[in-house]
Amino acid sequence: MENSVLIFLIFFLFSVQCSLAQTVHRIDNTNYDKLDMFLENEQNIVSLRIYGYSDAELPRSLLKHRNSLEKFVLGYSNITTLPTWFSEFKHLRYLNLSNNQISETHGLFEILKQNLRLEKLELYSNNINVISENISELNNLNELNLSNNPIKELSSKLTELKSLKILYLNHVFITDINTVIEDLSNICLEHISINNSALTYLPDNIINLECLKQLHLSGNNINLLPEYLVFKNMILFDLNNNPLKDVPESIIYNSNLKLLILLGTE
């Protein structure tokens, strides 16, 4: 009897693993009809990656998977927003809309705020220059990538994203991060990346980011650092390829610091 139960359990676990393996899909360079047919024929898709999609509208057949889809990548597809019915995807945890034509974010965030499980949002390489204030309603977001967008300033509403831990702002047009740091000091950010932007200095209030463990600032024009530069939890500090002429002595008092990158500095 015990052997029969064990055999059944092994078979059941094997079946579940096979089922999950069949729910990961990648589709390249397709059109509306082919994508619609694919979505109709598949069952319970958990992870879906679509690249080079040639139509502006997603087929409604995607709704068939609204109760199973957890990870969705829609890249290189000339998408400007998502359809309103995308708010029905309540189980989505990861959404990547990079390399599209998104410029306006208010409508997008209105749709996404219905999803209370969304943890990671990738919006890099779009045409976004303003982050709308309703981003504060993405309550469960812990990682946000806004890199390679013509953003000149951030919304102060970012400070209401209490779960946010990781923020990417590489290749943006922000030149003064003083107000950015002031705003972000109210949340427990652990990782900030502002590489290859136009920063010229690091403000004194940077140490107010008490949870910060990694700070990436390579490829900027930073030539001045604060005299007092002691963080509570910093592990990695990247100042690679900046015209720095001096590093303050206070840097040695960062007891948790494991890696300080100064390659390409003066």
Side-chain angles (χ1 to χ4, degrees):
M1 180 67 178
E2 290 181 357
N3 290 337
S4 299
V5 172
L6 180 59
I7 292 172
F8 173 79
L9 182 58
I10 293 173
F11 177 78
F12 173 76
L13 291 174
F14 178 77
S15 299
V16 169
Q17 288 178 342
C18 290
S19 176
L20 290 175
Q22 293 172 356
T23 59
V24 181
H25 303 279
R26 172 172 175 150
I27 309 170
D28 293 299
N29 302 313
T30 190
N31 59 32
Y32 187 97
D33 292 334
K34 289 181 179 178
L35 181 59
D36 185 44
M37 183 180 299
F38 169 81
L39 294 171
E40 285 287 358
N41 292 334
E42 293 295 326
Q43 302 294 324
N44 299 321
I45 295 178
V46 173
S47 179
L48 178 62
R49 303 178 184 183
I50 302 173
Y51 297 98
Y53 180 56
S54 57
D55 293 275
E57 281 285 332
L58 288 171
R60 290 184 67 89
S61 51
L62 185 61
L63 276 169
K64 176 183 176 182
H65 308 280
R66 62 183 177 273
N67 293 321
S68 59
L69 193 64
E70 296 181 6
K71 182 176 181 179
F72 185 38
V73 179
L74 180 60
Y76 296 95
S77 297
N78 293 318
I79 295 296
T80 58
T81 189
L82 291 172
T84 55
W85 48 259
F86 199 82
S87 62
E88 296 186 35
F89 287 77
K90 307 294 186 182
H91 299 273
L92 200 67
R93 297 182 182 275
Y94 171 75
L95 178 62
N96 187 331
L97 297 175
S98 61
N99 294 288
N100 282 296
Q101 299 297 322
I102 299 169
S103 58
E104 191 276 327
T105 57
H106 184 271
L108 177 64
F109 295 156
E110 281 296 301
I111 294 167
L112 295 181
K113 74 179 184 182
Q114 306 298 324
N115 188 323
L116 302 179
R117 297 189 180 188
L118 187 63
E119 298 174 351
K120 184 174 180 179
L121 178 60
E122 307 256 21
L123 292 173
Y124 62 85
S125 296
N126 277 282
N127 295 317
I128 301 168
N129 51 41
V130 175
I131 305 299
S132 62
E133 293 189 351
N134 61 338
I135 193 172
S136 62
E137 299 185 63
L138 305 183
N139 297 316
N140 207 39
L141 208 62
N142 60 45
E143 182 171 337
L144 177 62
N145 192 336
L146 296 168
S147 298
N148 203 23
N149 279 288
I151 299 171
K152 294 183 179 179
E153 61 182 32
L154 293 180
S155 169
S156 60
K157 292 293 185 178
L158 276 176
T159 62
E160 297 182 25
L161 294 175
K162 300 304 182 183
S163 297
L164 191 64
K165 300 296 183 186
I166 302 173
L167 178 62
Y168 293 97
L169 292 167
N170 303 318
H171 295 278
V172 296
F173 294 168
I174 296 174
T175 57
D176 186 351
I177 62 169
N178 186 53
T179 54
V180 174
I181 299 302
E182 187 175 330
D183 291 337
L184 295 178
S185 61
N186 294 320
I187 57 178
C188 196
L189 270 176
E190 296 181 359
H191 181 129
I192 299 178
S193 182
I194 315 179
N195 295 323
N196 300 300
S197 294
L199 302 181
T200 57
Y201 76 104
L202 200 58
D204 293 339
N205 62 357
I206 189 69
I207 61 173
N208 293 337
L209 300 176
E210 296 186 352
C211 298
L212 201 59
K213 295 180 180 179
Q214 292 192 37
L215 180 59
H216 298 262
L217 299 171
S218 69
N220 283 287
N221 294 310
I222 299 172
N223 54 31
L224 182 64
L225 295 176
E227 282 299 315
Y228 185 75
L229 198 58
V230 180
F231 300 90
K232 288 186 175 182
N233 297 291
M234 184 71 73
I235 296 173
L236 189 156
F237 193 4
D238 182 4
L239 288 163
N240 188 30
N241 288 321
N242 279 281
L244 280 174
K245 296 180 180 179
D246 195 15
V247 176
E249 293 183 7
S250 60
I251 199 79
I252 66 173
Y253 296 107
N254 286 275
S255 57
N256 294 311
L257 189 63
K258 304 298 183 185
L259 182 60
L260 174 64
I261 305 176
L262 295 171
L263 295 173
T265 62
E266 297 184 6

